[in-house]
């Protein structure tokens, strides 16, 4: 039993670290995309392309750079999570009503002041929704970690498969599904709350 | 205070402003008006450099605007837009305090500014300061929009169709409030609108623009009296007063000239027949030389008239007569105190010029206020 809890903890740790890093990078790239439109087109194309690489192939490529272990898994998740975060940040910022953008400019806010005082607060629900999608996806992708020597629930599932032990497979798979449902539910609630406020 | 010097602006092939020259004095309430696409909003946005001219220069307080830092320049110029543009993520207080905070005013100072500004529009601090814009009505939101522009007491305030999206009643009261605030705080206001009524009500000076040029710059009364171009007359529509006709100064200006006159030798039956055909209940009777003789009513004929007799026996002289050059005010007073429904207006040679009725008076007043009325 304690083995399961350790695995759940490791699984969550890998995912949250990856999503944390990806959010920082993704939101910054989203802001840059918003500021420099041609860059935005390129970045979103790039993130979409990353998404099309099969996860196993991506992890194998990253393994060449980072070797075996959790770091490789985190790097893979960071790349996979970029698309929804960059795209939602970009879309959220771009959909700030133009009259609000004009009002903030006309009142004498600098570019950064406009971003932090007006544009980001207004786009928060959209950005948050991108993070949610990334997180829920990552919970399932992280199961692949077992193939590149990373920790997490994938290990339990993999061993279950090898032993043809259904109970063991379920012990690993059910927590993944439950976590995904739970995170989706809680974060959707938070998202609603954020959009009502705005 | 604001001075445009040979300012030109193009968007691609389209020339939006052609060599514009405009001088706005300190404390002046200037309204820019014209059909859409005339360049009025472009002109306004050049003052706070939201739009840069292609050529020409704009001086604010004698300083070339293009040589100043745009962000700092904008903080010194109040700005109100049509869509209000309150930030939904900030409370009323935070919205008003934006520019004071940008300029690093201490907290006590901007808080007292918010309090005194809210007092200016009768929105108590306790009730409104901590509400979000979505909790306010449209009119209240735009009041806050105006206050936000006034927060650091900028000498210049730009307003881009600020009341365009409001209902007429709210709009009226806001126009009044802005005018009152302007008188009190002595701001230089540049105001864009496409509503001539609004322009006439608010402006010290109206600048009428069309196709990137200034067609006329004049005080409201002057523009009403002498529009420089037919497009201005068209634009003013119901506000225009075309010449003397609709400024009733004399009785002749609001009399009806189509009246029924009969010679005093007419027969009674003839008169009754005429009255019923034209649906009137009295006639003006004239002498052979067309001078005024008197009036006759249908009741008089019915009671005393005998078939085949001359109408002259029944004519009364009680109807009040006035000269056509009689003052309009006098004519109106006489009409109101008289028992009759009309006055007879006489020419200098005592022939009948027309009649003044309550209806013709009302119509003339209507025309004076709102321009040409349907006949």
């Amino acid at each position: 039993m304690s083995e399961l809890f350790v695995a759940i903890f490791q699984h969550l740790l890998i995912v949250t670290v990856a999503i944390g890093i990806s959010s920082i990078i993704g939101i910054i790239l989203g802001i840059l995309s918003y500021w420099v439109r041609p860059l935005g087109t390129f970045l979103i194309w790039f993130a979409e392309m990353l998404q099309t690489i099969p996860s196993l192939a991506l992890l194998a490529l990253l393994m060449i750079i980072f070797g075996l272990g959790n770091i490789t898994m985190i790097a893979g998740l960071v790349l996979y999570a970029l698309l929804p975060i960059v795209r939602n940040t970009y879309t959220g910022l771009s959909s700030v009503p133009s009259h609000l953008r004009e009002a903030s400019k006309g009142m004498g806010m600098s570019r950064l002041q406009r971003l932090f005082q007006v544009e980001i607060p207004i786009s928060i629900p959209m950005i948050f929704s991108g993070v949610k999608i990334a997180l829920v996806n990552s919970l399932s992708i992280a199961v692949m970690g077992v193939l590149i020597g990373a920790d997490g629930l994938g290990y339990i599932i993999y061993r279950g498969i090898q032993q043809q032990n259904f109970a063991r497979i379920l012990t690993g798979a059910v927590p993944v599904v439950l976590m995904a449902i739970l995170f989706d539910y809680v974060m959707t609630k938070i998202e609603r709350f954020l959009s009502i406020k705005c | 205070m604001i001075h445009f010097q040979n300012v030109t602006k193009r968007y691609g092939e389209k020339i939006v402003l052609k060599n514009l020259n405009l001088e706005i004095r300190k404390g002046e309430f200037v309204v820019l008006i014209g059909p859409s696409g005339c360049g009025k909003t472009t002109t306004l946005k050049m003052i706070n450099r939201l739009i840069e001219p292609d050529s020409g220069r704009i001086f604010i307080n004698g300083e070339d605007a293009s040589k100043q830092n745009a962000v700092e320049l904008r903080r010194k110029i109040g700005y109100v837009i049509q869509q209000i543009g309150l930030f939904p993520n900030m409370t009323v207080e935070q919205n008003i305090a934006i520019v004071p905070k940008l300029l690093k005013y201490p907290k006590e100072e901007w808080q007292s500014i918010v309090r005194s500004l809210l007092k200016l529009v009768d929105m108590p601090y306790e009730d409104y300061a901590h509400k979000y814009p979505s909790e306010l009505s449209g009119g209240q939101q735009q009041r806050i929009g105006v206050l936000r522009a006034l927060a650091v007491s900028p000498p210049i305030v730009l307003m881009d169709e600020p009341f365009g999206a409001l209902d007429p009643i709210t709009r009226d009261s806001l126009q009044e409030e802005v005018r009152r605030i302007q008188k009190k705080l002595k701001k230089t206001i540049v105001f864009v609108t496409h509503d001539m009524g609004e322009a006439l009500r608010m402006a010290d000076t109206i600048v009428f623009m069309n196709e990137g040029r200034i067609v006329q710059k004049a005080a409201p009364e002057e523009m009403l009296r002498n529009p420089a171009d037919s497009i201005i007359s068209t634009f003013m529509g119901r506000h225009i007063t075309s010449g003397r006709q609709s400024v009733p100064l004399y009785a002749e200006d609001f009399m009806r000239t189509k009246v029924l006159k009969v010679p005093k030798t007419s027969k009674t039956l003839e008169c009754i027949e005429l009255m019923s055909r034209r649906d009137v209940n009295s006639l003006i009777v004239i002498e052979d030389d067309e001078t005024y003789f008197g009036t006759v009513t249908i009741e008089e004929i019915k009671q005393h008239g005998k078939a085949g007799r001359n109408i002259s026996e029944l004519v009364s002289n009680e109807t009040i007569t006035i000269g056509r050059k009689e003052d309009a005010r006098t004519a109106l007073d006489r009409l109101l105190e008289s028992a009759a429904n009309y006055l007879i207006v006489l020419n200098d040679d005592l022939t009948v010029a027309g009649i003044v009725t309550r209806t013709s008076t009302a119509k003339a007043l209507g025309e004076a206020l709102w321009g040409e009325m349907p006949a």
Side-chain angles (χ1 to χ4, degrees), chain B residues 32-69:
Chain B
L32 306 177
I33 191 168
S36 44
C38 70
K40 53 189 193 293
T41 300
T42 309
T43 307
L44 180 95
K45 287 184 182 171
M46 279 183 173
I47 299 172
N48 64 359
R49 289 188 60 191
L50 285 174
I51 296 175
E52 305 278 359
D54 291 329
S55 66
R57 294 199 289 176
I58 297 157
F59 295 94
I60 293 166
N61 271 330
E63 276 181 76
D64 189 339
S66 65
K67 301 235 160 58
Q68 299 179 49
N69 177 306

Side-chain angles (χ1 to χ4, degrees), chain A residues 102 105 108 113 117 121, chain B residues 45 71 74-75 79 89 98:
Chain A
E102 190 184 300
K105 199 173 174 190
Q113 286 165 335
Q117 294 184 30
Chain B
K45 287 184 182 171
V71 167
R74 289 177 194 138
R75 291 177 187 170
Y79 187 43
N89 54 315
I98 288 172

Side-chain angles (χ1 to χ4, degrees), chain B residues 232-276:
Chain B
I232 302 183
S233 322
T234 318
F235 215 78
M236 287 202 267
R238 63 195 182 90
H239 301 285
I240 197 149
T241 52
S242 55
R244 192 177 48 85
Q245 204 63 52
S246 49
V247 187
L249 296 172
Y250 306 112
E252 64 179 6
D253 289 319
F254 57 102
M255 68 187 182
R256 266 176 53 194
T257 49
K258 282 180 193 154
V259 291
L260 287 177
K261 290 177 280 194
V262 291
K264 67 175 183 183
T265 50
S266 307
K267 304 286 186 256
T268 47
L269 280 179
E270 202 183 321
C271 293
I272 289 182
E273 195 268 334
L274 181 65
M275 283 192 218
S276 68

Side-chain angles (χ1 to χ4, degrees), chain B residues 156-177:
Chain B
I156 300 172
V157 180
L158 309 179
M159 299 187 159
D160 187 0
E161 300 201 28
F163 310 137
L166 302 175
D167 64 90
I169 296 169
T170 314
R171 179 195 292 217
D172 279 357
S173 74
L174 268 163
Q175 285 170 346
E176 202 140 303
E177 253 164 63

